[in-house]
Amino acid sequence: MILNERFKEMIHNINTAVILASGYSNAFDIPSCLLKVDHQTLIKRTVNILKNRNIHEIFIIVDYKKDLIIEELENENVNFIIISIYTSTGTMKSVSLLEKYLNKDYLLIEGNRPISYINVNNNTWINIDSNEQFNKAIDVIYSNINRKISEKTIQFITNYLHQAIGTQPEEIRGIEFSGGMTNRNYKITLIDGNELQIRIPGAGTNSLVNRQNEIINAKSIAALEIDVPIFYFNAHDGVKIAKYVKDAQTLSKQTAGITNNMENIATILKKLHSSDIKMNNTFSFISIIQDYESVIITKTNKYYIDKKYPNFSEEKEKIKFLNDKIQQLKSFSVCPCHNDLVPENFIKSSDGKIFLIDWEYSGYNNPFWDLAAFILESELTSDDEQKFLKFYFQRPLLEEEYFQLNFYKSVQDILWSLWTIIKELHGDSFGNYGYKRYERGSNLLKGLDYC
């Protein structure tokens, strides 16, 4: 306890900081400290935070593209130390240069790298080691962190709860934004301690999702007890009110591949795929591709997709051809499927139970679509993929089963690249996320021949 108090006092008395900003990263074409958040570079943001904490003596060690950093901070009254061997030295070399400048305690800040991941109330995670991932973090996740709920939204939610389930305004203790990319989710805390979650569909979502199918399928799925309990669902506007799982962790690319989680997810999917529940529709990715294409053409022109995604028309024809051939395979089958297995659609309660949520794209489909989706979206390594498939099948896969798996991987990349265009046409921003997915799917499709 005494040591802790002394440490706090020591930190409080520090008035000097050193920012390490000399390093090179092949992930970006500029020093990563010059990446921008809210139109402000990370390094200027750091300097401003330090000054707001009464730390005004600031040293910045630079070399790689140093002129850009010096120009960015030319009016900030900071000190620059230039090191010319950043490619062959590490952090300690930079620190050793400070001996001639500093003989007192200082705060050392690593300014060479952006954040490796973001965790928003245990809801959203993302690696940041490329421009694509940085753009996604800023456009989607950071905006969620920084989001303030408008009075208009609070009033909408308050009125909606009253009309939908009879909750009185005075029963609501608090409303918090709890994440979402396609939709907007809010946590509702009531004065009796109960918590709810309300999902409000995002712009343009109703042109992508059949809400009538979703509500019917969700009611059938409830019997399997693999989703959180739903109290209210409006098939007209897509608003959904469900139980809020307290202290739950939303899975991420990092956590979905943990062995225990993969085993539990395989069990959930096996339970779903082998069930006899009735769904209201068949998930036809061929029809969805056509629908998405039609929406895009209506908002742009018939050349827009091919200009944005080279050879899209040819890829679409190959997808149709291979899909027809796959349906002739002995191992081909259809069953109830989720069809959107991003890791964020799995939440894990504090007691370890995993729930599969958001059934917007559910419908009968080939189970390999779900398996491909989980592997692809969770970015499983080859070893983890084999481990996951073993959990699910309890046997080695046939060659034609691997063919289906890889075909659906390629199709999903191309399908969701079209989804990205539609979302962007409604005002969202995803950087080059859509193109990267199209490119990956197209490359995988090129290597597939009918087995």
Side-chain angles (χ1 to χ4, degrees):
M1 182 67 179
I2 296 175
L3 180 61
N4 187 44
E5 291 302 321
R6 287 178 179 173
F7 179 75
K8 287 182 179 179
E9 182 180 357
M10 180 183 72
I11 293 297
H12 181 73
N13 292 331
I14 289 178
N15 57 16
T16 302
V18 175
I19 302 175
L20 304 177
S22 63
Y24 163 80
S25 169
N26 58 11
F28 307 99
D29 55 4
I30 58 173
S32 56
C33 63
L34 294 179
L35 296 170
K36 291 185 176 181
V37 177
D38 278 349
H39 309 292
Q40 184 181 51
T41 60
L42 294 175
I43 196 163
K44 183 172 284 189
R45 182 184 181 89
T46 301
V47 168
N48 289 339
I49 290 173
L50 291 172
K51 290 181 176 179
N52 288 337
R53 303 299 190 277
N54 292 317
I55 298 176
H56 294 281
E57 187 178 26
I58 301 172
F59 291 84
I60 303 177
I61 299 179
V62 297
D63 191 11
Y64 172 64
K65 295 194 176 182
K66 59 183 179 296
D67 292 343
L68 295 178
I69 299 174
I70 293 172
E71 180 182 0
E72 172 66 12
L73 300 175
E74 62 181 348
N75 298 319
E76 295 296 332
N77 193 28
V78 296
N79 308 290
F80 293 99
I81 301 173
I82 298 175
I83 176 173
S84 59
I85 49 175
Y86 67 89
T87 57
S88 58
T89 61
T91 298
M92 293 313 297
K93 178 61 178 178
S94 296
V95 172
S96 70
L97 296 175
L98 298 171
E99 290 182 351
K100 66 177 72 173
Y101 300 98
L102 295 172
N103 58 359
K104 57 183 176 180
D105 293 328
Y106 57 85
L107 181 65
L108 183 65
I109 299 172
E110 172 62 79
N112 288 334
R113 308 183 190 96
I115 304 168
S116 59
Y117 62 82
I118 296 175
N119 177 5
V120 188
N121 295 328
N122 290 322
N123 285 324
T124 308
W125 296 66
I126 184 171
N127 281 326
I128 302 178
D129 55 15
S130 68
N131 275 312
E132 173 190 349
Q133 291 167 344
F134 183 77
N135 289 334
K136 183 178 178 181
I138 298 308
D139 294 337
V140 181
I141 298 177
Y142 175 74
S143 63
N144 291 350
I145 298 173
N146 207 36
R147 187 182 301 273
K148 293 182 179 179
I149 306 176
S150 67
E151 288 298 324
K152 182 178 179 181
T153 299
I154 292 175
Q155 192 60 52
F156 173 83
I157 293 173
T158 300
N159 292 340
Y160 208 103
L161 290 172
H162 176 64
Q163 296 172 9
I165 59 176
T167 303
Q168 299 298 325
E170 57 270 21
E171 294 180 80
I172 300 174
R173 178 185 295 168
I175 299 175
E176 304 171 48
F177 183 76
S178 58
M181 187 165 80
T182 301
N183 306 306
R184 296 291 177 261
N185 299 297
Y186 299 88
K187 173 187 173 183
I188 316 297
T189 303
L190 303 179
I191 57 174
D192 62 5
N194 286 321
E195 296 172 326
L196 308 173
Q197 176 132 327
I198 184 169
R199 180 195 73 185
I200 302 175
T205 307
N206 288 333
S207 66
L208 304 174
V209 176
N210 184 312
R211 297 297 179 190
Q212 191 62 40
N213 289 339
E214 183 188 3
I215 188 171
I216 292 174
N217 295 346
K219 287 180 178 178
S220 296
I221 291 157
L224 300 179
E225 297 183 341
I226 58 177
D227 189 10
V228 298
I230 298 172
F231 304 130
Y232 174 85
F233 197 129
N234 190 316
H236 175 69
D237 58 19
V239 173
K240 181 177 71 174
I241 303 171
K243 177 183 178 181
Y244 185 86
V245 181
K246 195 168 186 177
D247 298 323
Q249 174 196 13
T250 299
L251 296 193
S252 66
K253 293 175 183 177
Q254 290 83 1
T255 56
I258 294 174
T259 299
N260 183 57
N261 288 342
M262 286 196 297
E263 185 172 13
N264 288 336
I265 289 169
T267 300
I268 290 171
L269 294 181
K270 196 71 175 178
K271 184 175 185 179
L272 170 66
H273 295 160
S274 60
S275 71
D276 58 0
I277 64 170
K278 305 299 181 184
M279 289 192 159
N280 198 49
N281 63 295
T282 297
F283 182 90
S284 169
F285 60 84
I286 297 293
S287 297
I288 294 175
I289 288 174
Q290 292 172 342
D291 290 344
Y292 285 7
E293 189 179 8
S294 177
V295 171
I296 294 168
I297 291 173
T298 299
K299 290 182 172 295
T300 57
N301 57 70
K302 63 180 181 180
Y303 307 107
Y304 186 86
I305 301 175
D306 276 300
K307 185 176 180 180
K308 193 172 181 69
Y309 299 151
N311 303 315
F312 167 76
S313 298
E314 290 83 352
E315 304 293 19
K316 182 178 66 172
E317 292 307 311
K318 184 171 184 179
I319 287 172
K320 290 179 180 178
F321 172 78
L322 291 179
N323 185 54
D324 289 340
K325 296 300 182 182
I326 278 179
Q327 294 184 41
Q328 300 171 23
L329 297 174
K330 289 183 179 180
S331 59
F332 177 83
S333 64
V334 294
C335 63
C337 288
H338 182 276
N339 300 316
D340 187 25
L341 289 182
V342 296
E344 292 80 8
N345 277 340
F346 291 97
I347 61 173
K348 187 175 183 179
S349 67
S350 56
D351 62 0
K353 180 176 175 59
I354 293 179
F355 298 93
L356 177 54
I357 64 172
D358 283 351
W359 297 79
E360 293 174 302
Y361 296 96
S362 59
Y364 292 111
N365 197 3
N366 186 328
F368 279 99
W369 179 278
D370 273 353
L371 302 180
F374 177 70
I375 293 168
L376 191 71
E377 302 297 343
S378 300
E379 297 182 0
L380 298 187
T381 64
S382 297
D383 288 343
D384 285 339
E385 177 177 330
Q386 291 304 311
K387 191 182 296 184
F388 170 68
L389 292 172
K390 186 175 181 180
F391 284 141
Y392 182 90
F393 285 101
Q394 301 294 311
R395 61 168 175 79
L397 266 67
L398 304 172
E399 183 179 352
E400 66 179 43
E401 291 175 326
Y402 273 117
F403 179 79
Q404 293 175 72
L405 185 71
N406 288 323
F407 172 69
Y408 291 132
K409 285 181 183 178
S410 67
V411 171
Q412 287 180 55
D413 269 338
I414 293 173
L415 174 64
W416 302 132
S417 73
L418 295 178
W419 173 90
T420 304
I421 294 179
I422 294 175
K423 292 296 290 180
E424 289 178 338
L425 291 173
H426 281 91
D428 290 325
S429 176
F430 292 91
N432 62 352
Y433 170 79
Y435 178 78
K436 287 293 185 182
R437 292 209 64 161
Y438 175 78
E439 184 180 48
R440 183 175 64 178
S442 181
N443 288 336
L444 180 55
L445 190 64
K446 284 183 176 67
L448 292 177
D449 291 314
Y450 178 54
C451 62

